[in-house]
Amino acid sequence: REPYNQHFYYWFLNIIEQNREYESFSKIISRLPEVVKHFFLKQWHEQPTEENVKKAVQLVKDHLGLTELPDPILGKGKFPPVLKIRGLLHRDGNKKKENKEKEKEELD
């Protein structure tokens, strides 16, 4: 609900972007409605409404430029892939820093 929608959209899309570089991202996108339900349940301990799930899925599809989701990639697990909130320690910040330092050395 207003005026919090924009804040929520920014937060949620930030989490989507935090997961984009990882192998599991294609699985996450392929099973996005299930992933969103599970994520909200874990995050707030409440079952989201179908309308909330549809809005979040559409938000992600618009952000990624998708008209429809790919066919589900099913794994062996009981639960859908986990959409993780990745703090700075889990975003390979040091790896990116090392790559920039290497690039700088190569230019010198």
Side-chain angles (χ1 to χ4, degrees):
R1 65 179 190 236
E2 291 294 339
Y4 306 107
N5 288 351
Q6 295 302 321
H7 302 287
F8 170 77
Y9 297 159
Y10 181 83
W11 173 79
F12 188 64
L13 291 176
N14 187 18
I15 294 167
I16 294 294
E17 286 299 324
Q18 290 172 18
N19 286 269
R20 200 170 191 168
E21 295 179 8
Y22 293 86
E23 282 183 38
S24 63
F25 191 69
S26 58
K27 292 178 185 176
I28 288 171
I29 295 303
S30 76
R31 296 179 64 187
L32 194 57
E34 296 170 81
V35 169
V36 167
K37 276 184 192 177
H38 191 67
F39 176 77
F40 290 152
L41 184 60
K42 281 182 64 179
Q43 187 69 26
W44 290 301
H45 307 285
E46 288 186 26
Q47 192 72 29
T49 65
E50 281 302 313
E51 181 183 349
N52 289 340
V53 172
K54 286 179 183 177
K55 282 183 182 180
V57 168
Q58 189 59 50
L59 178 69
V60 173
K61 284 170 53 179
D62 291 345
H63 179 72
L64 298 176
L66 299 173
T67 53
E68 57 185 58
L69 296 174
D71 291 334
I73 301 171
L74 301 175
K76 296 177 184 176
K78 179 178 175 182
F79 297 104
V82 178
L83 182 63
K84 295 180 182 178
I85 298 175
R86 299 178 187 273
L88 292 175
L89 293 176
H90 302 287
R91 291 191 213 160
D92 291 330
N94 290 334
K95 190 182 218 180
K96 290 177 183 173
K97 185 178 178 182
E98 289 172 10
N99 288 342
K100 283 184 180 181
E101 288 174 1
K102 285 181 185 177
E103 288 174 8
K104 186 177 179 183
E105 288 174 8
E106 290 173 2
L107 293 173
D108 291 337

